[in-house]
Structure formats: C-alpha cells, structure tokens
C-alpha cells in the first residue's frame, strides 16, 4: 500500500451478550475466543507490518492493564475519561494525528478469517481516503441477518469502491431477505478509513459541539509516557454518539469498499458458534459431522448444531438441537441459538 495507515483500535463496550465468559473486568476483546490469541491481539496483528504506523488504541481506564498486557511495544494508548461511543473516541484520535494521516478505525473485538482480503480492502480504502473520502467497509452478507445495519451501494467510483446510496437500520427478517435477494446491499461492519482532517471537518460540520469538546479535551490533555489522558472535564461535556449517526449518515463524502473477508462481530454465542464451525479452531478441532463444536470436556450424544464451552466441569448433552451451553467458574448459561441475542438482558450479565 502506498499510503501509511494509522490503525485506530477501539476497545469500548462490555460484551455482555457473551456473558458469562465475557465479564466487565475482562470483556470480549481480551478473550481467546477463536484460537490461542485474543480478538484484540488478532486485530493488532492484521493491522501491523509494512505500510502500517504503530497503533493508537482508545480504551477506558478500567481496561488499561489488559491493553498493556496484550498490546504491542510500539502502541500508544488514549485513556478515555468516560465512555462516549465511537464518534467522540475517534475524534480524540483524529485530534492527536496530523491532518494528512489516514486513519483505519477498527473495533477490537471482531473476527476476520481472510487477512489478505482485509488488507486489499484497506489499500483500496486508503486510496479513497487520500482523496478526501470517508470510507466504510461493506461486508458481503452471507444470509438475511437482522442484527446488523446495511449499506446500499451507489454508483461505482473510478479506481475502486462505490458511492453510498443509503444506510439502513437493522431490518426485520422480511426486509433482510429482500435486501439479500435484490443484491447491492452490504453489512455495515463498523470499520472505516479517512484522513484525520477530513473526519475533523465533517464532525465539525454536523456535530460542532462534539467536535469542539473533543478538540478541547485533547488540547488540554497530557501525555504520560505512551498514554494520553484527555482533559476529563472537557470530555465530560461531550455527548455520546456513534460515528454512523454523527457523521457517516450525514456527509456527502462517504464511500464504500465492499469486501468478503470471513468477517464476524462475534456479537453473540450463536455468532461465535458459527465462526468456530466455519474456520475450525486449533483449540477444539472444528465441528463434528453434526455441526457440534466443543471447547473443554464435553460429551455430545445425538446432538446437532450444539456448542459447549466449559472452563472445567464436564458437560454431557443428549438429543439437543441448536443449543449453546457455557460454563464459566460458578456461572452456567444454557440458551437456544435463537435466544443468544438476549443473553445481555439477563440479570447476571447486567448486574456485574
């Protein structure tokens, strides 16, 4: 890639839908859910090497120790004084970089099976970003998923990518099936590329109070070694909002780079089951002939599409279909795959 890419790795969120394995003190990004390394470590690895600058990680104070434990020696860390969603977090990073710096914004807790496809998309996105575009990565859908937002492709852009016709909120099943049948729709994977000054300009145009507050928090903040601490009082006045609502759905400079790269946000136990089945896992050997996957001691008899994830106690299942069993210490979760999206609403997940 011709442009130097500055990875911005966002470590927000608590991952409650992967409770009880994911806990507030050690949430989803820092867990080895696929393979031996954590999702955060895997994110850093695919955003490193030739063409990449050292990463800039944005995380809350509570997770600084985890970031340091799993991070790279050359990384820098922005310690958020408070959680304010993705737009303010990205604004902090954008105000710490030169205007011409091309930012690659990546969530820290996603799985990407095909790193080569990811890097090809990054190269294409960097070219568009250098021209002043704000680029979203459009994930090729493999089913009528209702848990993701969608992006409709517009006209092709010379040199690669395309315009964005519209962003679509998470659809119901009927609309999701219609999008898949029509073609031209991608999932919004929450990965973006743009110049730092382009993002600052567009944020100032559509969320001027947020832009001013983030800039002031950086101007009045201070470095402590490799850690940057924004001014807490200035950042406390910034309202939380996602980059989609604050900027991407408003700007006239948006573009899309479609990519099929084996992506999953690992947003639920059913999503993790599917990722383990699709790619196998060095820790569990991949699925059996009935689509079952097990990590930890387990015996599955006459079961189909069952996942067991146990950190100790043996789990024995007979005659189950599409069920997930998780054992973490003294907590046990049993859910249908269809109910996995509601795990975050359980008392155990909410009242940590």
């Amino acid at each position: 890639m011709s442009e130097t890419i500055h990875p911005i790795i966002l470590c927000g969120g608590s991952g409650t839908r992967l409770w009880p394995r994911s806990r507030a003190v050690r949430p989803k990004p820092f867990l080895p859910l696929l393979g031996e390394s954590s999702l955060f470590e895997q994110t850093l690895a695919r955003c490193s090497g030739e063409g990449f600058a050292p990463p800039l990680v944005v995380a809350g104070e509570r997770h600084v120790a985890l970031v340091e434990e799993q991070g790279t020696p050359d990384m820098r860390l922005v310690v958020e004084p408070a959680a304010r969603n993705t737009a303010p977090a990205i604004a902090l990073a954008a105000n710490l970089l030169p205007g011409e710096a091309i930012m690659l914004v990546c969530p820290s807790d996603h799985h990407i099976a095909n790193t080569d496809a990811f890097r090809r998309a990054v190269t294409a996105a960097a070219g568009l970003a250098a021209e002043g575009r704000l680029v979203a990565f459009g994930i090729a859908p493999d089913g009528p998923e209702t848990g993701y937002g969608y992006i409709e492709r517009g006209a092709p852009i010379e040199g690669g990518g395309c315009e964005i016709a519209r962003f679509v909120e998470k659809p119901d099943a009927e609309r999701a099936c219609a999008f898949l049948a029509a073609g031209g729709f991608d999932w919004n994977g929450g990965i973006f590329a743009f110049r730092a000054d382009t993002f600052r300009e567009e944020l100032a145009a559509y969320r001027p109070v947020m832009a001013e507050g983030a800039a002031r928090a950086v101007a009045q903040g201070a470095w402590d070694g490799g850690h940057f601490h924004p001014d807490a009082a200035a950042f406390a006045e910034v309202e939380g909002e996602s980059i989609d609502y604050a900027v991407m759905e408003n700007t006239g400079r948006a573009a899309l780079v479609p990519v099929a790269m084996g992506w999953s946000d690992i947003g639920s136990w059913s999503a993790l089951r599917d990722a383990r089945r699709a790619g196998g896992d060095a820790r569990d050997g991949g699925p059996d002939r009935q689509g079952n996957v097990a990590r930890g001691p387990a015996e599955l008899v006459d079961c189909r599409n069952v996942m067991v994830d146990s950190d100790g106690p043996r789990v024995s299942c007979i005659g189950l279909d599409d069920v997930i069993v998780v054992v973490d210490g003294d907590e046990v979760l049993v859910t249908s795959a269809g109910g996995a999206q509601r795990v975050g609403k359980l008392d155990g997940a909410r009242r940590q």
Side-chain angles (χ1 to χ4, degrees):
M1 57 187 72
S2 59
E3 306 287 346
T4 299
I5 309 298
H6 294 258
I8 311 301
I9 312 301
L10 305 181
C11 287
S14 56
T16 55
R17 284 181 292 173
L18 287 180
W19 180 88
R21 184 73 71 231
S22 176
R23 311 279 186 120
V25 294
R26 196 176 188 89
K28 169 184 157 190
F30 306 104
L31 301 176
L33 297 174
L34 288 153
E36 298 292 336
S37 57
S38 72
L39 296 174
F40 173 58
E41 290 170 319
Q42 292 169 19
T43 302
L44 291 174
R46 64 177 166 262
C47 297
S48 64
E50 184 179 357
F52 290 99
L56 183 59
V57 179
V58 185
E61 181 68 44
R62 189 174 195 176
H63 300 133
V64 166
L66 289 169
V67 171
E68 291 179 331
E69 172 189 322
Q70 298 185 8
T72 58
D74 62 349
M75 75 178 184
R76 296 181 297 163
L77 173 61
V78 179
V79 183
E80 281 186 291
R84 288 293 186 269
N85 213 321
T86 54
I90 296 166
L92 293 176
N95 278 281
L96 285 168
L97 292 172
E100 69 275 10
I102 293 179
M103 304 169 64
L104 173 65
V105 177
C106 294
S108 61
D109 58 353
H110 290 183
H111 170 64
I112 293 175
N114 190 335
T115 299
D116 289 340
F118 167 75
R119 293 195 177 198
R120 288 193 295 270
V122 168
T123 299
L128 291 170
E131 298 171 359
R133 294 281 195 161
L134 291 94
V135 186
F137 286 52
I139 310 301
D142 57 15
E145 176 62 53
T146 60
Y148 305 139
Y150 285 69
I151 303 173
E152 184 177 7
R153 301 181 198 175
I157 296 174
E158 185 176 352
C162 57
E163 303 284 353
I164 291 177
R166 58 173 172 149
F167 288 85
V168 185
E169 293 296 314
K170 296 176 183 178
D172 58 23
E174 183 179 354
R175 291 189 77 204
C177 287
F179 293 160
L180 203 65
F185 286 85
D186 295 301
W187 292 336
N188 182 357
I191 305 171
F192 303 95
F194 33 69
R195 283 175 52 118
D197 53 6
T198 305
F199 179 78
R200 295 197 300 255
E201 289 166 9
E202 295 300 278
L203 186 67
Y206 298 105
R207 296 294 186 270
V209 175
M210 180 188 296
E212 193 278 331
R216 189 154 46 88
V218 169
Q220 298 175 3
W223 285 98
D224 178 13
H227 294 184
F228 182 78
H229 296 271
D231 181 75
F235 198 64
E237 298 177 4
V238 175
E239 291 189 9
E241 194 172 19
S242 73
I243 180 178
D244 299 279
Y245 290 145
V247 175
M248 296 303 295
E249 295 186 13
N250 296 307
T251 181
R253 302 162 77 176
L256 180 75
V257 169
V259 57
M261 56 186 180
W263 172 91
S264 172
D265 70 344
I266 314 295
S268 67
W269 282 109
S270 58
L272 179 58
R273 179 199 61 179
D274 294 345
R276 286 182 177 173
R277 290 196 304 190
D281 190 323
R283 293 178 58 175
D284 62 27
D288 66 16
R289 292 180 180 178
Q290 289 72 46
N292 303 309
V293 286
R295 179 181 288 188
E299 182 179 8
L300 306 177
V301 177
D302 294 333
C303 291
R304 294 184 305 162
N305 303 316
V306 169
M307 182 172 80
V308 171
D309 192 311
S310 174
D311 65 359
R314 182 178 184 82
V315 176
S316 301
C317 302
I318 301 174
L320 297 182
D321 188 359
D322 230 23
V323 169
I324 294 165
V325 182
V326 182
V327 182
D328 186 276
D330 60 353
E331 296 281 3
V332 178
L333 169 71
V334 181
T335 178
S336 66
Q341 289 283 353
R342 301 195 295 274
V343 168
K345 298 179 180 179
L346 292 170
D347 285 348
R350 291 188 298 110
R351 298 178 179 176
Q352 298 182 65

